């Protein structure tokens, strides 16, 4: 199909961060864009909604926005105002809630110590099991905090979350969690930490509100029937599904979300999220009012139960899976009329801001 750049058309598969950002960028550049999603809503896994009690909740688990990318925060600020929010998490071990990530206060509380910053650094130095090279998530944790803290906070959480041993996961998984010698108890230290003031879904509504963007929800991508109708396809679903599992299934970890509303309880827990590394079948409980700042006489929480089957939420970062992904990526690179972008299509453990960055890059390369 020959067409000038001002009349080019694109089909975007997926209305999450990856699809919606590319859709907006192409539409702003004069393309005609059609967005489909198999789900009945936009915003992908970041979708939020009012529950039956009027509390804003995240259907697919807690989503906390944080970035060091000024460009990314500025970009999204076109579509939302923000509510400053710094996420805090506790980890429960033997019935006691400790600051998590592990910091100086975690050590002092757990071991009855009175360490200052230098003392905490010496403590970690003494208990760590030096590993070289650091290849797996087990290596990362043992190398920084040693075996006791590894067993108390990381080993069973990781088994539960992934159905794998930490030694079977790449270093990057556990390396998401810092270790601190000071008393900083924030989960993230990014320069920009905030929640969309009216929620993620509202932000996506504004992003997709453009005369050149049409949207169809509850629509499954049909490669053979749909691809010829557009100049270009931007695919943000699982990459193995696009290629009809030609090399076999890429593992994605799933979750079951159990939402609950508690009446006449203003606060359920002290921090936005409480992790349960060793107890229960769920990994963590999040109380949404911490994230949203909403005032309400009751409160809504969600428990996350890891599952082997179900909707794909997490790529599983290990050597074998990444090798399989590379085979699919080779096919993807040969597919000239299709761009693959996003957490499922690129098989990367991306945070939201990283997906926005990848989507802006993908759009730029289509427009250049
Ligand atoms: P998705 O949001 O998955 O969107 C892809 C869309 O494509 C989906 O809506 C899907 O229905 C659609 N689709 C797929 N295949 C098809 C098809 N064949 N036909 C039609 N439609 C299709 N990130 C953070 O930065 N902070 C957090 O606190 C955070 N917490 C998270 C908590 C959980 C439990 C999970 C699972 C993720 C979390 N993330 C967090 C990561 C964040 O969700 C992702 O980075 C981001 O949403 C990915 O956007 P995406 O567009 O790539 O994918
Ligand atoms: N992790 C852990 N114990 C915890 C929290 C995290 O062992 O209390 C490990 C676990 O392997 C987890 C990874 O660190 O999958 C990354 O945690 P994060 O909170 O970033 O996971 P996400 O929010 O992406 O589910």
């Amino acid at each position: 199909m020959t067409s000038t750049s001002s009349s080019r058309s694109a089909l975007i598969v997926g209305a999450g961060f990856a699809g919606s950002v590319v859709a907006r960028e192409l539409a702003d550049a004069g393309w005609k864009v059609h967005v489909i999603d198999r789900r009945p809503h936009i915003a992908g896994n970041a979708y939020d909604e009012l529950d039956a009690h009027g509390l804003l909740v995240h259907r697919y688990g807690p989503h906390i926005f944080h970035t060091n990318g000024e460009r990314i925060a500025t970009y999204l600020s076109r579509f939302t105002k923000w509510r400053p929010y710094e996420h805090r998490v506790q980890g429960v071990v033997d019935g006691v809630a400790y600051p998590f990530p592990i910091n100086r206060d975690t050590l002092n509380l757990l071991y009855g110590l009175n360490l200052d910053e230098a003392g905490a650094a010496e403590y970690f130095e003494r208990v760590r099991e030096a590993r070289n090279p650091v290849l797996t998530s087990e290596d990362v944790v043992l190398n920084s905090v040693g075996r006791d803290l590894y067993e108390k906070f990381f080993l069973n959480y990781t088994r539960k979350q992934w159905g794998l041993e930490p030694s079977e996961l790449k270093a990057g998984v556990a390396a998401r969690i810092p270790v601190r010698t000071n008393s900083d108890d924030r989960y993230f230290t990014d320069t920009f930490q905030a929640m969309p003031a009216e929620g993620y879904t509202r932000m996506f509504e504004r992003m997709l509100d453009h005369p050149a963007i049409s949207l169809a929800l509850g629509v499954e991508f049909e490669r053979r029937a749909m691809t010829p109708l557009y100049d270009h396809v931007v695919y943000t679903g699982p990459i193995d599904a696009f290629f009809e599992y030609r090399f076999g299934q890429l593992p994605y970890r799933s979750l079951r979300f159990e939402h609950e509303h508690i009446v006449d309880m203003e606060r359920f827990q002290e921090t936005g999220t409480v992790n349960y590394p060793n107890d229960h079948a769920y990994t963590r409980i999040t109380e949404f009012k911490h994230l949203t700042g909403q005032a309400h006489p009751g409160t809504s929480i969600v428990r996350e139960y890891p599952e082997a089957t179900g909707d794909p939420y997490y790529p599983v970062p290990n050597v074998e899976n990444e090798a399989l992904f590379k085979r699919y990526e080779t096919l993807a690179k040969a597919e000239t009329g299709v761009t693959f972008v996003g957490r499922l299509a690129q098989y990367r453990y991306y945070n939201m801001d990283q997906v926005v960055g990848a989507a802006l890059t993908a759009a730029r390369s289509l427009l250049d």
Side-chain angles (χ1 to χ4, degrees):
M1 199 181 292
T2 53
S3 51
T4 62
S5 86
S6 62
S7 66
R8 283 175 69 82
S9 66
L11 173 69
I12 313 272
V13 182
F17 269 101
S20 299
V21 168
V22 177
R24 180 64 186 224
E25 286 299 279
L26 297 186
D28 278 345
W31 288 46
K32 219 170 149 7
V33 180
H34 187 55
V35 181
I36 60 168
D37 201 301
R38 60 157 68 115
R39 287 169 165 168
H41 59 73
I42 58 171
N45 287 336
Y47 178 69
D48 55 14
E49 59 188 333
L50 293 180
D51 68 10
H53 307 272
L55 278 140
L56 186 66
V57 301
H58 302 176
R59 187 183 287 187
Y60 306 101
H63 278 70
I64 295 113
F65 190 80
H66 55 99
T67 189
N68 285 315
E70 201 186 320
R71 177 179 76 114
I72 311 272
T74 304
Y75 181 77
L76 292 178
S77 301
R78 286 171 57 190
F79 311 109
T80 188
K81 292 191 168 34
W82 299 95
R83 167 183 187 262
Y85 171 70
E86 291 185 323
H87 194 50
R88 287 182 168 74
V89 174
Q90 294 175 331
V92 174
V93 174
D94 297 328
V96 180
Y98 297 95
F100 190 85
I102 294 166
N103 67 13
R104 176 170 82 95
D105 298 328
T106 314
L107 295 182
N108 286 338
L109 197 60
L110 184 64
Y111 298 120
L113 301 171
N114 191 21
L115 303 171
D116 58 10
E117 256 193 85
E122 277 165 31
Y123 185 90
F124 289 133
E125 199 48 51
R126 200 167 61 247
V127 297
R128 68 188 278 261
E129 288 181 19
R131 296 271 166 133
N132 191 10
V134 174
L135 297 176
T136 71
S137 281
E138 179 186 63
D139 294 336
V140 167
V141 182
L142 289 177
N143 188 56
S144 53
V145 299
R147 192 158 298 270
D148 192 52
L149 291 164
Y150 169 72
E151 288 178 356
K152 285 187 161 69
F153 289 94
F154 289 91
L155 177 60
N156 295 321
Y157 187 106
T158 301
R159 285 177 169 159
K160 196 160 41 170
Q161 169 72 9
W162 300 97
L164 294 171
E165 295 297 309
S167 58
E168 295 174 295
L169 286 162
K170 291 194 79 172
V173 176
R176 291 168 61 85
I177 311 294
V179 176
R180 305 199 179 111
T181 54
N182 60 18
S183 291
D184 190 347
D185 63 347
R186 296 171 304 161
Y187 209 58
F188 309 110
T189 51
D190 300 44
T191 49
F192 185 88
Q193 304 188 43
M195 300 292 289
E198 297 165 75
Y200 289 98
T201 305
R202 188 75 195 98
M203 178 176 80
F204 276 83
E205 281 169 3
R206 293 206 189 90
M207 206 183 299
L208 293 169
D209 180 15
H210 189 289
I213 299 178
S214 58
L215 175 68
L217 297 172
V219 174
E220 182 68 39
F221 176 53
E222 287 170 37
R223 184 173 164 190
R224 276 166 204 88
M226 294 178 180
T227 305
L229 306 178
Y230 302 87
D231 292 320
H232 199 83
V233 171
V234 176
Y235 179 82
T236 75
I239 191 169
D240 56 346
F242 183 93
F243 293 107
E244 293 161 328
Y245 309 103
R246 194 178 306 174
F247 303 133
Q249 286 208 348
L250 264 173
Y252 293 90
R253 190 70 172 161
S254 194
L255 292 171
R256 179 168 62 81
F257 302 101
E258 186 183 87
H259 286 269
E260 188 187 347
H261 179 80
I262 304 147
V263 290
D264 296 330
M265 183 187 277
E266 291 235 8
R267 267 275 177 272
F268 176 80
Q269 60 190 24
E270 210 176 297
T271 51
T273 297
V274 176
N275 290 354
Y276 293 90
N278 309 310
D279 315 312
H280 311 296
Y282 50 84
T283 48
R284 58 188 178 187
I285 300 181
T286 296
E287 182 178 18
F288 291 103
K289 282 168 83 180
H290 288 274
L291 282 54
T292 60
Q294 199 175 348
H296 195 284
T299 195
S300 293
I301 61 171
V302 65
R303 295 180 176 85
E304 295 173 52
Y305 293 83
E307 310 238 299
T309 55
D311 278 356
Y313 292 122
Y314 291 83
V316 182
N318 69 21
V319 173
E320 196 187 339
N321 300 344
E322 288 183 1
L324 181 54
F325 166 69
K326 287 279 169 218
R327 298 182 68 196
Y328 281 113
E329 196 184 30
T330 304
L331 295 181
K333 282 185 179 147
E335 204 71 37
T336 46
V338 186
T339 296
F340 295 81
V341 60
R343 180 147 144 148
L344 305 172
Q346 294 180 278
Y347 205 68
R348 294 218 186 121
Y349 194 166
Y350 273 147
N351 291 325
M352 293 181 280
D353 64 320
Q354 296 170 305
V355 174
V356 173
L360 290 173
T361 302
R364 183 66 21 231
S365 67
L366 278 175
L367 295 172
D368 278 347

